[in-house]
Structure formats: C-alpha cells, structure tokens
Amino acid sequence: MSPLPAPASLPDDLARHLRRLRPDAAIIILTGAGISRESGLHTFRDADGIWAQVRLEDVATPGAFARDPDKVQGFYNARRQALLDPAVQPNPAHHALARLEREWQGPVLLVTQNVDDLHDRAGSTDLIAMHGELMKARCTECGGLHPWTGDLSDTDTCPACGRVGYLRPHIVWFGEMPLFMDRIGDALEAMEPNDLFISIGTSGNVYPAAGFVAEARAAGAVTVEVNLEATDGAHLFHSGLYGPASQTVPALVDALLAIR
Ligand code: BJW
C-alpha cells in the first residue's frame, strides 16, 4: 500500500523524504538537551546554557573531579535537585516519542545524550542513556550502580561494597567512553536504505554522538534534524524541521504514524 502524504504542516522536502519510508522502517532517534528545555532544564551551549555559567573543564572531566570533588559533586547535586522540582516534567516532545515507540510498526531505538530521566518518565522503554543518568550514583571501587535522589558527598557509603567515599555521579565526562557504544554501533550498522535517523535538540558538538548521522546516512537512512534552528551540521541531514521541540516533535510523530 502506498504511504499517505505527510500533513501539510511539515516542510515539503521533509514530507517528500518521509514518503520514502516503509511503515515498519527501523527508526533511531538521538536526543539532546534541547528536547528538555521546555521542561525547564538548561541546555549547555545556548546563550543561557550551563557552559555560560560554569567552565566544563571545572566540572565535567575526570581531572576536575580529582582536583576538586566537592565542586563537581556540588554541581551535580544542584542539577539533581533541579530535576526533582515538581515543575520539571516531560513535555509533549518526550510524550510524542514514547507514543511513536508504542505505535510504530517497526523498531524504535531512542538514544539520549541527556542525563535527565524525562524520556523514562514519559514512557520510552527502548532507551539508551549514553552519557549516564543524573539520578544514579556509581561506585568507583566496585562498579555498583545505585538509584540516588539526594546529595552525594565523600562521606557516602556504597550500598553494594560498603566502602566510604567512592561514589560519583553516574555521568560520562569528557575523555570518558560513552555508555552502550556497542549496542548503538550495532543498531546504526544494521540500518538499511529508507530507515530513519532523527536528531532532536542537539547542537552536534560532542562526539561520538555527533557522528551518528554520518553513519546512518552511509547506511542509506533518511536523516532529519529537529531543532529550534538549523545547526552548523544541518547540511549532514536530508531535511530539517525547525521550531520548539514541544511543537515540532508531536507534528513529526503524527506524520510518521500516518504512514500506512
Ligand atoms: C532546542 C530547543 C527547543 C534549544 N527545541 N531544540 C578533542 C580533545 C578532547 C576530546 C575530544 C576532542 N575532539 C573530540 C573529543 C571527544 C569529546 C568531544 O566531543 N569534545 C568536543 C567538545 C569537541 N567527547 C568525549 O570526550 C566523549 N567521549 C569520548 O569521545 O570517548 C572516546 C575516548 C575516550 C577516551 C580516550 C579517547 C577517546 C564524552 C562526551 C561526554 C559529554 N558529556 C556532557 C556533560 C556530562 C553530562 C552532564 O553534565 O549533564 O554531556 S557535555 C554536554 O554536551 C552533555 C551533553 O549530553 C552533550 C551534548 O550537548 P547537547 O545535548 O547537544 O546540548 P547543546 O546545549 O550543545 O545543544 C542544545 C541544542 O538544543 C541547540 O542546538 C539548540 O538550538 C537546541 N534547542 N532549545 C528544540 N526548545
């Protein structure tokens, strides 16, 4: 059966590319901080972003943690508390992606660079948090991973091995290997022509995530950038959809779910 035309609200070139998709195409979605901005969380590189307030070299590297663990723990303690603010909730973009996973006929893999838990709270289940999770603590001695909602400090005890002073935020810092790279690499490698790769709310500045689009494109996938505005890497994508994620992502998901 031939696919229905995508809704008129999508740009013509995007609608044209979506018409290439089979209703059971594999979809890989990469998200970044922009998808959570309308939930009240800061991005990193926007004018009002986190890196405008604090130097990443001081808080997001293993060296920073070795030099000044209290400063780094304080940075993540504050972010953890911000995430627990009842006003911070999944927005329509997170919910739309959970709906896509539930209703799309093919596999939908969601890879997020975000350390917040908003995709999880929205109901996405095939979800990879490649830069870690703010609401978990990791023991550098035994490797134990523990749900963590309060502040972390060097007086805390690892619930698994009982050692004191070895818990750190479960965050991938610069120079550390992102998580689940084998699974992500396998999924990208398994993409076939006319599968779909969507990048949402990320500036495309941080590798290896910034390189996923090239891998998907090399496999023949349709590639779409969804962002507030075109990024420096927009030319790497077949098409773009620009505006606030809370509006663009539900519109894109509606268009995809209309494909028959
Ligand atoms: C909206 C919107 C709305 C706004 N709607 N959109 C040279 C030297 C040293 C290292 C490197 C190097 N070159 C490359 C590297 C590797 C390095 C890297 O990429 N560095 C670059 C800065 C150049 N990468 C790494 O180190 C990674 N590891 C690695 O490569 O391992 C391999 C290896 C290991 C050991 C030895 C050798 C090799 C690890 C990267 C870890 C990233 N960690 C962080 C911080 C931790 C998490 C935290 O504290 O929360 O992860 S950095 C930060 O950036 C965070 C994010 O996940 C990541 C990506 O940011 P994101 O999501 O794209 O946010 P922004 O702010 O950049 O963009 C937001 C976008 O949203 C914008 O485009 C807006 O327009 C948009 N937007 N509102 C839609 N409403």
Side-chain angles (χ1 to χ4, degrees):
M1 209 186 287
S2 62
L4 289 176
S9 60
L10 296 187
D12 285 349
D13 77 307
L14 175 55
R16 185 166 44 81
H17 285 296
L18 296 188
R19 280 188 210 107
R20 286 164 51 192
L21 302 180
R22 300 175 314 278
D24 62 349
I27 302 179
I28 299 180
I29 302 158
L30 173 69
T31 63
I35 197 170
S36 296
R37 192 176 186 190
E38 291 162 85
S39 294
L41 298 178
H42 286 288
T43 60
F44 292 92
R45 294 170 186 80
D46 289 314
D48 60 351
I50 291 173
W51 299 152
Q53 291 149 33
V54 59
R55 280 163 30 102
L56 71 87
E57 295 84 356
D58 292 340
V59 293
T61 67
F65 190 53
R67 274 193 310 277
D68 194 345
D70 288 349
K71 179 168 190 161
V72 174
Q73 295 283 26
F75 172 70
Y76 287 100
N77 287 341
R79 304 241 326 264
R80 202 175 295 111
Q81 290 318 308
L83 185 53
L84 287 169
D85 182 331
V88 174
Q89 298 293 336
N91 67 54
H94 298 99
H95 287 297
L97 295 184
R99 175 171 171 240
L100 181 66
E101 183 189 338
R102 280 195 305 275
E103 298 183 16
W104 183 250
Q105 293 175 46
V108 177
L109 175 64
L110 179 52
V111 180
T112 188
Q113 298 170 87
N114 298 344
V115 299
D116 66 52
D117 58 356
L118 297 181
H119 284 305
D120 196 35
R121 285 199 236 165
S124 288
T125 58
D126 204 354
L127 172 64
I128 293 177
M130 65 178 289
H131 288 167
E133 295 171 78
L134 192 52
M135 304 308 280
K136 289 184 180 165
R138 184 180 350 130
C139 177
T140 56
E141 278 296 282
C142 75
L145 209 52
H146 309 286
W148 209 272
T149 52
D151 285 352
L152 256 182
S153 78
D154 59 5
T155 59
D156 286 309
T157 305
C158 172
C161 70
R163 290 189 181 88
V164 176
Y166 290 99
L167 290 174
R168 59 165 273 185
H170 181 47
I171 299 290
V172 176
W173 290 320
F174 283 103
E176 295 185 317
M177 193 59 79
L179 305 171
F180 308 107
M181 286 308 297
D182 286 351
R183 173 142 193 247
I184 298 168
D186 288 349
L188 287 165
E189 225 168 78
M191 290 195 104
E192 294 181 354
N194 300 334
D195 283 344
L196 176 64
F197 176 84
I198 312 171
S199 172
I200 303 172
T202 175
S203 61
N205 271 290
V206 175
Y207 287 86
F212 294 168
V213 58
E215 291 182 60
R217 208 166 160 150
V222 173
T223 56
V224 179
E225 172 173 81
V226 181
N227 200 298
L228 205 49
E229 56 196 14
T231 66
D232 290 347
H235 61 282
L236 300 169
F237 294 84
H238 289 105
S239 189
L241 181 59
Y242 299 108
S246 66
Q247 295 172 29
T248 52
V249 177
L252 178 59
V253 166
D254 282 348
L256 288 169
L257 292 176
I259 294 172
R260 293 280 180 271

